[in-house]
């Protein structure tokens, strides 16, 4: 069932009976059958109790777009501007994140800051630490200070503690989150130099 | 006023308790939720900031629903609330909110379909009357041609077809009844429909067990 309708562009696999005069096929509601097609993505991503989707219209009857997209369903993504490359994982991935700067509904404007990741334990958000020096005039010297910043981290990025990360300002996403990760500048050194 | 939308009462990011240094302001106000139920239409207008109006729907019974893949919209009666991702209580009390799944009356959509495609929606012709066969007036050649063209696209999804047989479609509310006073939405189709059907089935199975 998925195999035959897999050759068509347009509507998702198991429901596309428009062109062929097939008999009504009984298709199971869970779709493990769509194994070799990337259409299985929607089911794996739907963890929440409501249907996660990008605000696009997916159910056109007519396979108007002749280009056969890799996944059956169209994916919307955008270029955030300011020279930041949108990662491949955002374009080809299957996650749904409305707060992602590339595939969601937030825009990046205002400040662009960098910092080092301190904690990545929250779902889809990280805490970064920005260090700076503060001058004390009396002693003619500097002191180290730091500020922590909570930033939303799209599933397009794999971030670990210790990475350097560039974040851009966006509208408030939660009580403390006003920034969004745009680029993971330096992954931690893979080769551990142990002496 | 009781309800505010300020953040001065919350702890700061470091966890510190914030001291209260001023009273509640009018621009921070919040109002009671609408909790629109099913019933004869009852809408109260509310004067909001700037003199603007919000229509708080307290009871609604119909809405404008769009059948996306066929690109038509019809005003239909809402039969009942069937699923709410946030709160089962709202399902039990038939409260209409944005993004809740409702069942709507399928009749206007069936009528449109049969007029547009000159075909009954369901396989079982028993529901769709045989009257169209007899009342078939002589159609002009142009009409016949357009109908023949449309026949090619006339097939609809089996999940939708079974809903038509039952006379009720599943739809999702996409307006905010407490703000606009309307319960408008779109007919569920495709992956979304499968998803919610599965959730409904799981819910029923859990209750049955």
């Amino acid at each position: 069932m998925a195999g035959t309708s897999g050759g068509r562009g347009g509507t998702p696999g198991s429901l596309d009976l428009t062109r062929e005069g097939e008999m009504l096929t009984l298709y199971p509601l869970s779709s493990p059958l769509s194994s070799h097609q990337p259409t299985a993505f929607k089911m794996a991503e739907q963890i929440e109790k409501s249907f996660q989707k990008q605000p696009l219209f997916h159910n056109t009857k007519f396979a108007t777009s002749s280009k056969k997209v890799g996944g059956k369903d169209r994916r919307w993504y955008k270029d955030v501007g300011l020279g930041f490359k949108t990662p491949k994982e955002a374009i080809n991935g299957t996650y749904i994140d409305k707060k992602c700067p590339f595939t969601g509904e937030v825009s990046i404007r205002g400040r662009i800051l960098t910092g080092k990741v301190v904690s990545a334990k929250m779902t889809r958000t990280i805490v970064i630490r920005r260090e700076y020096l503060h001058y004390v005039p009396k002693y003619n010297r500097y002191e180290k200070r730091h500020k922590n910043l909570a930033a939303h981290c799209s599933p397009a990025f794999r971030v670990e503690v210790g990475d350097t990360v560039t974040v851009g300002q966006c509208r408030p996403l939660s009580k403390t989150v006003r920034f969004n990760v745009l680029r993971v500048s330096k992954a931690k050194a893979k080769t551990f130099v142990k002496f | 006023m009781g309800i505010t939308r300020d953040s001065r009462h919350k702890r700061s990011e470091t966890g510190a308790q914030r001291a209260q240094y001023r009273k509640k302001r009018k621009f921070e106000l919040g109002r009671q939720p609408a909790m629109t139920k099913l019933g004869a239409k009852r809408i109260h207008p509310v004067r909001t900031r700037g003199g603007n109006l919000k229509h708080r729907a307290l009871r609604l019974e119909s809405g404008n629903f769009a059948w996306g893949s066929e690109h038509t919209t019809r005003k239909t009666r809402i039969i009942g609330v069937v699923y709410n991702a946030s709160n089962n209580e709202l399902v039990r009390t038939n409260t209409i909110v944005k993004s809740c799944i409702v069942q709507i009356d399928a009749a206007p959509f069936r009528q449109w379909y049969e007029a547009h495609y000159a075909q009954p929606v369901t396989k079982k012709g028993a529901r769709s009357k045989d009257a169209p066969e007899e009342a078939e007036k002589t159609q002009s050649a142009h009409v016949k041609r357009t109908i023949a063209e449309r026949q090619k696209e006339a097939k609809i999804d089996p999940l939708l077809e079974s809903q038509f047989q039952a006379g009720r479609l599943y739809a999702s509310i996409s307006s905010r009844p407490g703000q606009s006073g309307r319960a408008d939405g779109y007919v569920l189709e495709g992956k979304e429909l499968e998803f919610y059907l599965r959730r409904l089935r799981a819910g029923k199975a859990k209750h049955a067990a």
Side-chain angles (χ1 to χ4, degrees), chain B residues 8 20-21 25 74-75 101 110 120 128 147 152 161 170-171 179-180:
Chain B
R8 288 176 295 105
Q20 185 196 2
Y21 71 96
R25 296 284 192 263
R74 287 288 180 272
K75 180 163 168 202
I101 311 297
R110 158 180 301 125
S128 44
I147 291 197
K152 294 192 201 133
E161 215 174 301
Y170 285 115
Q179 308 283 317
S180 60

Side-chain angles (χ1 to χ4, degrees), chain A residues 38-142:
Chain A
T39 51
F41 79 91
K42 275 270 170 75
M43 300 310 160
E45 299 293 320
Q46 303 296 337
I47 304 175
E48 310 288 344
K49 288 164 93 175
S50 60
F51 188 71
Q52 307 292 112
K53 61 174 184 176
Q54 291 187 314
L56 303 173
F57 184 65
H58 292 111
N59 297 310
T60 49
K61 274 167 81 165
F62 324 102
T64 44
S65 56
S66 50
K67 62 168 167 96
K68 228 183 318 165
V69 190
K72 277 308 182 52
D73 299 88
R74 291 174 297 152
R75 185 174 179 78
W76 180 86
Y77 62 92
K78 73 169 189 250
D79 161 38
V80 294
L82 301 160
F84 288 101
K85 274 196 56 93
T86 128
K88 287 212 172 51
E89 174 63 27
I91 304 175
N92 303 328
T94 61
Y95 66 88
I96 305 289
D97 184 7
K98 67 180 180 186
K99 300 180 181 177
C100 170
F102 308 106
T103 63
E105 294 165 356
V106 296
S107 67
I108 303 294
R109 72 283 182 286
R111 307 249 173 192
I112 311 286
L113 309 171
T114 62
K116 195 160 82 86
V117 176
V118 150
S119 143
K121 295 198 192 122
M122 293 189 274
T123 26
R124 288 182 177 174
T125 81
I126 56 170
V127 177
I128 66 175
R129 178 184 171 116
R130 303 184 58 239
E131 308 234 348
Y132 56 98
L133 294 172
H134 178 244
Y135 180 63
V136 185
K138 174 177 183 186
Y139 297 104
N140 228 341
R141 276 161 211 180
Y142 292 90

Side-chain angles (χ1 to χ4, degrees), chain A residues 1-62:
Chain A
M1 288 163 271
T4 55
S5 50
R8 315 221 150 273
T11 54
S14 45
L15 305 179
D16 192 2
L17 303 172
T18 56
R19 294 306 154 94
E20 302 153 356
E22 291 180 24
M23 299 257 297
L24 280 179
T25 49
L26 265 176
Y27 57 99
L29 285 222
S30 65
S31 45
L33 64 157
S34 44
S35 47
H36 67 292
Q37 288 292 338
T39 51
F41 79 91
K42 275 270 170 75
M43 300 310 160
E45 299 293 320
Q46 303 296 337
I47 304 175
E48 310 288 344
K49 288 164 93 175
S50 60
F51 188 71
Q52 307 292 112
K53 61 174 184 176
Q54 291 187 314
L56 303 173
F57 184 65
H58 292 111
N59 297 310
T60 49
K61 274 167 81 165
F62 324 102

Side-chain angles (χ1 to χ4, degrees), chain B residues 8-208:
Chain B
R8 288 176 295 105
H9 68 278
K10 300 201 71 136
R11 287 184 185 255
S12 72
E13 187 172 353
T14 58
Q17 183 90 29
R18 273 192 266 235
Q20 185 196 2
Y21 71 96
R22 70 183 197 197
K23 297 179 168 203
K24 295 182 183 177
R25 296 284 192 263
K26 162 96 173 25
F27 54 77
E28 293 166 337
L29 77 79
R31 298 188 183 87
Q32 296 280 354
M35 300 300 215
T36 38
K37 304 276 192 298
L38 272 181
K41 177 159 73 169
R42 185 185 288 190
I43 300 181
H44 286 182
V46 172
R47 184 198 177 274
T48 56
R49 189 164 175 84
N52 305 314
L53 225 52
K54 277 189 187 174
H55 301 276
R56 192 125 301 162
L58 302 172
R59 295 196 194 157
L60 287 175
E61 61 189 348
S62 62
N64 210 23
F65 288 89
W67 189 2
S69 59
E70 303 289 342
H71 204 305
T72 59
T73 316
R74 287 288 180 272
K75 180 163 168 202
T76 334
R77 199 172 50 95
I78 302 176
I79 298 177
V81 175
V82 148
Y83 182 78
N84 185 309
S86 335
N87 193 346
N88 289 324
E89 177 86 24
L90 300 176
V91 176
R92 247 185 320 147
T93 51
N94 267 338
T95 306
I96 306 171
V97 285
K98 179 175 173 199
S99 178
C100 72
I101 311 297
V102 293
Q103 276 194 319
I104 59 175
D105 181 21
F109 291 106
R110 158 180 301 125
Q111 284 163 12
W112 173 85
Y113 183 96
E114 283 167 7
H116 191 254
Y117 291 109
Q119 255 189 4
V121 178
T122 58
K123 284 243 166 85
K124 306 201 178 116
R127 281 305 176 81
S128 44
K129 310 152 283 273
D130 308 26
E133 303 293 350
E134 299 147 23
E136 210 59 71
K137 301 183 279 289
T138 47
Q139 297 175 321
S140 71
H142 183 249
V143 172
K144 284 212 183 73
R145 231 182 311 133
T146 25
I147 291 197
E149 269 294 313
R150 289 184 190 157
Q151 299 283 358
K152 294 192 201 133
E153 310 284 349
K155 205 74 186 294
I156 63 170
D157 182 44
L159 278 180
L160 278 179
E161 215 174 301
S162 55
Q163 286 178 40
F164 269 110
Q165 274 177 10
R168 300 166 173 209
L169 297 172
Y170 285 115
S172 166
I173 304 284
S174 60
S175 67
R176 302 172 71 188
Q179 308 283 317
S180 60
R182 295 163 201 248
D184 299 336
Y186 57 91
V187 173
L188 286 176
E189 293 180 278
K191 284 260 154 48
E192 224 177 323
L193 178 58
E194 285 177 36
F195 174 85
Y196 283 115
L197 283 179
R198 209 171 338 122
R199 288 265 183 263
L200 288 172
R201 216 150 304 202
K204 253 185 260 197
K206 233 202 305 188
H207 270 288

